[in-house]
Amino acid sequence: SQAQPTRRGALIVVEGLDRAGKSSQCEMLRDSLWQKGSPVKYIRFPDRTTPIGKLIDSYLRGSSHQDDHSIHLLFSANRWEVAKSIEDEIASGTTVIVDRYSYSGVVYSAAKANPTLSLEWAWQPEIGLPRPDICLFLSISPEEAAKRGGFGVERYENEPMQTRVRQLFSTVFERQEDVSIIDAGRSITEVALQIQATVSDCIEHMDATAPLRKLE
Ligand code: NYM
Ligand code: MG
């Protein structure tokens, strides 16, 4: 009999505002896929462990200053430096769950209202990166976010910035294909079950013999 073509893994991105519950949901999704026997890996951006990631971390903690364009390109470079390893994992059959990706990249930078840093400008360095098979947008209302406790101490964790980020996420996801909006204002379990169902549906319907696509 003929050998089956290798099924590649899926690239699953989880996006949302700060305090939407992304990290907990990513961990639960990883565990549920693992229990079903799928090889799976969970990564996050920014990856603060690399040399570029350390510059980003210092900027976010407010210990260093960066020009808006410069920090934007560092966030993008932080994705490019692991793009190949994501592609390799996926080609070998591992599903990769990514906590924040290019969508956070463009939205947080454009939210600074810098006149020469538009969404369009911000998207350019993302072109060619691995394209997610699905992007789950964890949506919570500003009221629900407020109930989840105060802001952290990092740059961007303030009301005016979060309001602009929320608006820009809507703009970006209106134009984007393969997005699933998840109402993340519900209980952790309800949200987790909807995410699992959405991801199973995506994995079942995607062409797992075709290679991963690229962002364009
Ligand atoms: N962030 C994250 C960006 O500004 N650009 C990016 O490309 C990415 C991936 O970093 N407030 C911002 C959004 C967050 C901050 O992320 C740190 P996290 O997930 O809170 O550690
Ligand atoms: Mg955060």
Side-chain angles (χ1 to χ4, degrees), residues 15 18 22-23 44-48 56 59-60 71-72 75-76 78-79 99-109 112 126 154-157 161-162:
E15 281 282 10
D18 293 284
K22 288 182 301 300
S23 306
R44 59 185 306 156
F45 291 114
D47 174 353
R48 302 189 195 217
I56 294 172
Y59 171 80
L60 286 172
I71 189 68
H72 178 75
F75 273 111
S76 183
N78 188 230
R79 284 182 278 283
D99 190 339
R100 291 194 189 276
Y101 199 54
S102 306
Y103 314 100
S104 279
V106 297
V107 156
Y108 281 83
S109 288
K112 294 171 174 175
E126 306 303 314
E154 289 204 329
R155 222 182 270 265
Y156 307 158
E157 297 185 331
M161 183 71 182
Q162 297 284 319

Side-chain angles (χ1 to χ4, degrees), residues 79-126:
R79 284 182 278 283
W80 278 106
E81 61 183 344
V82 295
K84 178 75 169 65
S85 75
I86 293 176
E87 283 169 354
D88 291 349
E89 292 277 7
I90 286 185
S92 77
T94 300
T95 284
V96 180
I97 302 168
V98 186
D99 190 339
R100 291 194 189 276
Y101 199 54
S102 306
Y103 314 100
S104 279
V106 297
V107 156
Y108 281 83
S109 288
K112 294 171 174 175
N114 183 316
T116 58
L117 210 173
S118 63
L119 274 179
E120 288 68 26
W121 187 93
W123 187 255
Q124 300 309 305
E126 306 303 314

Side-chain angles (χ1 to χ4, degrees), residues 20 25 28 144 148 182-195:
Q25 290 297 338
M28 290 167 77
E144 181 58 30
R148 295 184 179 187
I182 308 280
D183 172 7
R186 296 166 300 161
S187 76
I188 288 191
T189 316
E190 281 174 301
V191 176
L193 288 174
Q194 192 188 342
I195 290 177

Side-chain angles (χ1 to χ4, degrees), residues 2 4 13 21 24 31 53 55 64 89 93 141 143 148 162 165 183 195:
Q2 254 186 326
Q4 289 291 309
V13 164
S24 321
D31 296 347
L55 292 173
S64 66
E89 292 277 7
S141 64
E143 296 75 33
R148 295 184 179 187
Q162 297 284 319
V165 164
D183 172 7
I195 290 177

Side-chain angles (χ1 to χ4, degrees), residues 106-107 110-111 119 163-173:
V106 297
V107 156
L119 274 179
T163 303
R164 289 195 298 272
V165 164
R166 153 181 300 283
Q167 287 160 352
L168 286 166
F169 264 135
S170 308
T171 307
V172 165
F173 287 135

